[in-house]
Amino acid sequence: MAADFRSQIESLRPYLVRYAALQLRDAATAEDAVQEALLAALAGEANFAGRSNLRTWLTGILKHKIVDAIRRQSRERPASDLESENGAEGFDDLFDRRGHWEETPDAWEQPEGALGQKQFLAALEACLRALPERTARVFMMREHLGMDTPEICKELGITPTHCWVLLHRARMALRLCLSDNWFAK
């Protein structure tokens, strides 16, 4: 049974690496987090009672390892990284003086159906990789890991206002990127 459990875990490794890479934006750190998660899963094999899908269980372990990696990175972050995230990078051009849209965004047709398509997920992953690292990290912590604002602020050492600004920038950039690379097609 142990060999079967190990082979099932190993078959999910590519998914876990891709998941971690999206969160951490660094292949080496993602690989380390996956390795830690797999070691924890093997050590805790007896704790897996089969009440959930193995992939779900492993993803849960990996989420904790990702948060640990983010904590380590936030403590070791160089100051030069902070400068690249302070610009609005063209978002102001989308609005008029009164703060209204210059061009009304196109309605996205059936986003629930598009979300299920692998091409959409690939476009979303590409758009996430195009975001500045900290902006993407805050977005993924909030929207994917389900962390609330105080948790994110504590982990990254930022104020709630800065967190909201980063979330706004991430959403705007993703909207623009997906409009250009997915919905415009």
Side-chain angles (χ1 to χ4, degrees):
M1 173 94 175
D4 185 45
F5 185 75
R6 286 187 187 111
S7 66
Q8 288 177 1
I9 286 177
E10 188 60 32
S11 70
L12 293 171
R13 190 176 177 289
Y15 163 77
L16 296 172
V17 170
R18 197 171 84 243
Y19 181 89
L22 267 176
Q23 306 292 324
L24 298 170
R25 299 175 57 101
D26 177 53
T29 307
E31 185 66 39
D32 290 344
V34 170
Q35 290 300 324
E36 290 175 18
L38 293 178
L39 286 172
L42 290 171
E45 179 180 356
N47 296 334
F48 180 66
R51 289 187 299 259
S52 66
N53 185 318
L54 180 60
R55 179 172 156 167
T56 304
W57 185 67
L58 288 172
T59 303
I61 294 171
L62 181 58
K63 283 182 181 181
H64 292 285
K65 300 303 179 184
I66 289 170
V67 170
D68 292 343
I70 290 170
R71 285 180 183 144
R72 278 192 304 272
Q73 286 179 342
S74 67
R75 286 190 303 262
E76 300 167 359
R77 187 158 186 241
S80 62
D81 289 352
L82 296 174
E83 296 172 8
S84 66
E85 295 181 5
N86 290 333
E89 286 129 28
F91 291 133
D92 291 337
D93 297 337
L94 298 173
F95 303 98
D96 63 17
R97 296 188 322 267
R98 299 173 297 146
H100 295 105
W101 289 102
E102 285 287 345
E103 279 185 40
T104 305
D106 294 333
W108 292 353
E109 296 183 25
Q110 302 177 346
E112 297 83 13
L115 186 60
Q117 299 176 12
K118 289 184 180 182
Q119 296 88 1
F120 175 79
L121 294 176
L124 178 61
E125 286 178 16
C127 290
L128 284 168
R129 282 191 295 274
L131 291 175
E133 183 177 341
R134 190 169 219 175
T135 304
R137 177 166 292 143
V138 169
F139 179 80
M140 293 302 283
M141 289 172 81
R142 174 61 174 244
E143 302 300 333
H144 198 67
L145 296 178
M147 297 173 75
D148 60 11
T149 302
E151 285 179 294
I152 296 169
C153 293
K154 182 180 176 186
E155 294 302 323
L156 299 180
I158 60 176
T159 65
T161 303
H162 189 205
C163 181
W164 296 328
V165 167
L166 292 174
L167 284 169
H168 173 73
R169 288 180 182 167
R171 290 176 181 131
M172 292 298 297
L174 288 173
R175 181 200 150 298
L176 288 172
C177 183
L178 288 172
S179 291
D180 292 343
N181 297 312
W182 177 254
F183 295 104
K185 293 181 178 181

